[in-house]
Amino acid sequence: MRATVMYGAGDVRIENVPDARIIEPTDAIVTVTRACICGSDLWPYQQMEPTDTGRVMGHEAIGVVEALGSEVQKIRRGDVVIMPFAFSDGTCVFCHDGLQTSCVHGGFFGTTEVAGAQAEAVRIPLADGTLFPVQVDKDDALMPSLLTLSDVMGTGHHAAVSAKVGPGKIVAVVGDGAVGLCGVIAARRLGAGQIIILGRHADRIALAREFGATDVVTERGDEAIERVRALTGGVGAHSVLECVGLDAAMMTAINIARPGGAVGRVGVPQNEMMPASQPAFYNNLSVSGGPAPARAYIEELLPDVLDGSIQPGRVFDRVIGLDDVPDGYRAMNQRESIKIMVKP
């Protein structure tokens, strides 16, 4: 089968790799009908050390179940399924707590251990706990929005939940990528009274406004902090969604939160140390977040996708075939595209 293999920074190839196959009796094989390139895929695209073996990329997908291991009970061949970016058994203590990204038997797609889904097919470990069947046709018009439930919409929602967004609250979203835009959707869905988006790309800002952003801050650093404070009566936001992962973004997030506020961080941190820990401490800020348990959020968010109340699939601004994935990485890395959908 054909798949996307990354061999190092900037080195993405489409190659023939061994077919996805059942290894464990709890596995399923899914033929991928939709996948995408994630903003977090750009970190290895920028920084990965060269390797002779490479890794099959991609951790977001929708597809059709083609084969099942002998112990799979809840999933059926022919099901259209959402594949969250983490696999999980659905039975451990953390899965029961709705934190599937900490499953004691789980892990993540698109690693050196488990091949990703920017491919014609993908093996799903722990299929019963991982996959979420949806009662739609594999070419349903809602596919783009359903695909976001595998990661970015769940991640934006996780940022909002972690930041304690609620009715009437002032929310600031740091980052205008797909996750930040989904964070705007999530904040509006949870009843925020004011939503400030921090970003500087015109196409993304326009979409953020359509999703519910009430104010835009294009400045960075100290100027951005001053601007947010001016928009919030000098006191800062109740809830801040940090959707980038860089130190500068986290510094901004902490400094625009009001005392007693909360920061929900979902941008993959590029530093082991958290910046601005002293301001967070002295302002009594709650700082929470991490890899979103997307599997836990699908059931909550799915009805709003199905009835059109939210349309997170609008973050996809380009659709490509598998052969064009290397150029898709380039386009996202150069900010020519917000998020790219792949149809193998």
Side-chain angles (χ1 to χ4, degrees):
M1 70 177 193
R2 297 163 67 247
T4 303
V5 186
M6 185 178 292
Y7 284 91
D11 187 0
V12 179
R13 313 174 198 174
I14 304 304
E15 296 188 335
N16 288 317
V17 301
D19 288 347
R21 62 184 181 86
I22 300 292
I23 296 176
E24 301 291 339
T26 51
D27 289 348
I29 303 301
V30 169
T31 296
V32 178
T33 58
R34 302 288 192 286
C36 48
I37 302 172
C38 184
S40 64
D41 291 332
L42 299 181
W43 297 124
Y45 184 74
Q46 296 166 1
Q47 303 170 2
M48 182 177 171
E49 293 294 326
T51 172
D52 292 332
T53 56
R55 60 180 165 119
V56 177
M57 299 296 293
H59 53 259
E60 307 155 278
I62 286 181
V64 178
V65 177
E66 296 297 335
L68 297 168
S70 60
E71 295 182 11
V72 178
Q73 298 179 351
K74 298 179 181 178
I75 305 299
R76 298 288 178 264
R77 192 164 183 248
D79 282 352
V80 176
V81 290
I82 299 172
M83 182 201 90
F85 67 88
F87 58 89
S88 53
D89 61 19
T91 61
C92 80
V93 60
F94 299 114
C95 288
H96 280 300
D97 286 345
L99 195 62
Q100 287 90 338
T101 46
S102 292
C103 175
V104 296
H105 300 114
F108 299 93
F109 292 99
T111 65
T112 54
E113 293 80 21
V114 179
Q118 290 168 11
E120 293 179 326
V122 60
R123 179 179 75 93
I124 311 294
L126 305 173
D128 276 338
T130 301
L131 296 175
F132 194 102
V134 286
Q135 302 303 312
V136 298
D137 182 79
K138 65 183 181 69
D139 291 315
D140 192 283
L142 290 173
M143 275 298 151
S145 288
L146 292 170
L147 179 57
T148 67
L149 298 181
S150 67
D151 187 347
V152 287
M153 186 61 227
T155 296
H157 179 69
H158 188 54
V161 170
S162 299
K164 304 178 183 178
V165 175
K169 286 191 174 182
I170 300 173
V171 177
V173 180
V174 181
D176 60 4
V179 170
L181 292 170
C182 287
V184 172
I185 294 174
R188 183 180 185 184
R189 180 179 175 275
L190 293 171
Q194 181 181 6
I195 303 173
I196 305 165
I197 180 78
L198 282 74
R200 53 198 314 167
H201 300 88
D203 55 342
R204 302 173 186 215
I205 294 305
L207 193 53
R209 285 193 178 279
E210 293 181 33
F211 284 161
T214 57
D215 300 277
V216 175
V217 171
T218 58
E219 296 87 350
R220 289 182 176 176
D222 291 341
E223 292 182 350
I225 295 167
E226 292 175 8
R227 178 64 178 148
V228 172
R229 292 195 174 277
L231 289 168
T232 58
V235 297
H238 296 99
S239 304
V240 182
L241 283 57
E242 194 283 295
C243 303
V244 179
L246 295 175
D247 284 0
M250 194 62 189
M251 288 282 290
T252 298
I254 287 174
N255 282 291
I256 62 177
R258 67 174 57 197
V263 176
R265 58 185 318 202
V266 295
V268 179
Q270 298 304 294
N271 193 329
E272 291 185 1
M273 303 295 290
M274 188 186 84
S277 60
Q278 286 190 341
F281 176 81
Y282 285 109
N283 283 324
N284 282 282
L285 297 184
S286 300
V287 180
S288 185
R295 181 64 175 75
Y297 292 138
I298 293 175
E299 191 166 359
E300 176 183 352
L301 298 171
L302 181 61
D304 286 0
V305 168
L306 293 177
D307 69 13
S309 299
I310 60 174
Q311 297 178 310
R314 294 178 64 196
V315 300
F316 293 108
D317 55 354
R318 190 179 300 188
V319 181
I320 62 175
L322 200 54
D323 287 337
D324 294 323
V325 168
D327 187 62
Y329 272 84
R330 181 205 58 77
M332 282 185 60
N333 190 57
Q334 295 181 6
R335 301 299 187 266
E336 293 176 7
S337 184
I338 301 172
K339 190 168 179 67
I340 292 176
M341 181 187 299
V342 181
K343 294 178 69 175

